[in-house]
Amino acid sequence: MNDSKRKWWGYFFIAPQLIGMLAFSVLPLGFAFGLSFMRWDGFGEREFIGLANYIGQFRDDNFITALVNTAYYSILVIPVGIALALLVALALNKVKGKTVYRVFFFMPVVTSSVSIGVIWMWLLNGDIGLINQLLAMVGIDGPNWLTDRNLVLPSIAGLSIWWGLGTNMVIFLAGLQGISRSYYEAADIDGATAIQKFRHITFPLLSPTTFFVAIMSVIGSFQVFDQAYVMTQGGPGKASYTLVYHIYEQAFGRSAFGPSTASAMVLFTIILIFTLIQFSVSRRWVHYEDGGR
């Protein structure tokens, strides 16, 4: 087979993926970008209004509230979620039967977000919730987790950390198992402590995995919606009102598809900026075993 035929066969095999990406990713993204400059309620003709939708969003108190809430939620979830998943992975990496534990920790990930939300609504109920019942057994008067403006976002963040623990833990565990034992054997010969081995071997060689988990955590945290929608409806008093909830409310609550897509484009830009910053900073701390990039 000559090179020309090989090339066309290559195009043939990647065509389904390219068509799918164009149909379900590139074209909808382009349509949303164009729609963000228009006034449209889902029916009739679209009217081009320039940057009015974007200007309106930054003048909208609800958008600013959603932006602040989403940033606060991300600050709560990302570092704690990554650190906890790493600790669990380190613990499981040294025990027998890690497959059973891995399945146990991963079970919440495959559970419906609605089911998870309903269960945690009961657990966090201020009157009859299991968590407050357990606190009462040790003499602590539990708060109203989902109706207190100061506690609702930390409560949802706690749920999200628990829910995403399995995914991050499995990724970290895979990264740990990919580190050659020869490094640790050499460190043992030199008399290195457990902390020294983690600092100089485990963490540097696990940095590509940590980098991947960090990127996915940032993307996931900024897209939080299910938990707030099911458990609090954005309340109390917009205290759990997030960016994606704001996008949903504008599009399907008020049929304001122009402002909704403008908000979505702002969210896309924020995620893109943070991802590019992470890639830029990663050159300083991400290390590869073979020295490559």
Side-chain angles (χ1 to χ4, degrees):
M1 183 182 296
N2 57 40
D3 291 340
S4 178
K5 288 185 178 180
R6 288 175 183 269
K7 180 180 68 174
W8 286 110
W9 274 110
Y11 289 147
F12 174 77
F13 283 113
I14 67 173
Q17 287 75 19
L18 285 176
I19 294 172
M21 183 178 69
L22 288 172
F24 299 107
S25 296
V26 177
L27 293 179
L29 181 61
F31 177 76
F33 179 72
L35 189 59
S36 67
F37 297 100
M38 301 179 183
R39 180 184 291 114
W40 188 47
D41 62 358
F43 302 94
E45 296 183 358
R46 294 183 285 271
E47 178 186 357
F48 181 79
I49 56 175
L51 295 174
N53 287 328
Y54 290 93
I55 296 172
Q57 288 305 294
F58 285 100
R59 291 177 176 175
D60 186 351
D61 291 338
N62 288 334
F63 174 80
I64 301 301
T65 299
L67 185 61
V68 172
N69 288 343
T70 304
Y72 176 45
Y73 169 87
S74 300
I75 292 172
L76 292 174
V77 169
I78 295 171
V80 177
I82 293 175
L84 186 60
L86 177 57
L87 289 174
V88 173
L90 288 169
L92 293 184
N93 195 42
K94 297 182 178 181
V95 301
K96 294 182 179 180
K98 60 173 64 72
T99 302
V100 176
Y101 290 104
R102 187 165 52 194
V103 171
F104 176 76
F105 279 101
F106 198 77
M107 285 176 63
V109 178
V110 298
T111 306
S112 165
S113 60
V114 175
S115 301
I116 293 290
V118 171
I119 292 172
W120 276 80
M121 282 178 62
W122 174 72
L123 291 175
L124 295 171
N125 185 282
D127 298 320
I128 61 171
L130 179 61
I131 292 177
N132 279 2
Q133 295 295 324
L134 294 175
L135 291 176
M137 294 175 63
V138 295
I140 300 176
D141 187 15
N144 294 314
W145 301 96
L146 299 180
T147 57
D148 189 320
R149 293 177 60 90
N150 297 320
L151 293 177
V152 62
L153 267 182
S155 300
I156 294 176
L159 157 62
S160 300
I161 292 169
W162 170 81
W163 192 17
L165 177 63
T167 300
N168 293 339
M169 179 272 297
V170 168
I171 296 172
F172 274 126
L173 194 57
L176 289 170
Q177 293 175 353
I179 299 176
S180 174
R181 295 298 308 170
S182 61
Y183 295 108
Y184 297 103
E185 293 169 358
D188 289 334
I189 294 173
D190 291 337
T193 63
I195 295 177
Q196 289 174 328
K197 286 188 284 187
F198 175 80
R199 178 182 176 183
H200 297 289
I201 299 174
T202 304
F203 186 75
L205 295 180
L206 200 63
S207 57
T209 304
T210 307
F211 175 55
F212 173 77
V213 172
I215 287 179
M216 299 307 295
S217 297
V218 169
I219 295 173
S221 65
F222 272 95
Q223 293 179 334
V224 59
F225 170 73
D226 297 11
Q227 301 93 308
Y229 179 77
V230 173
M231 298 173 67
T232 64
Q233 295 287 301
K238 304 287 185 181
S240 60
Y241 191 74
T242 64
L243 272 176
V244 177
Y245 198 104
H246 179 69
I247 294 169
Y248 165 81
E249 185 182 66
Q250 288 186 111
F252 301 103
R254 295 188 286 154
S255 296
F257 289 98
S260 175
T261 51
S263 299
M265 289 299 104
V266 172
L267 175 59
F268 171 79
T269 304
I270 292 172
I271 293 175
L272 178 61
I273 290 172
F274 273 100
T275 303
L276 292 176
I277 291 174
Q278 286 179 289
F279 269 100
S280 177
V281 175
S282 69
R283 300 173 184 175
R284 303 178 182 179
W285 66 275
V286 177
H287 307 281
Y288 294 87
E289 190 171 356
D290 60 358
R293 288 284 175 188

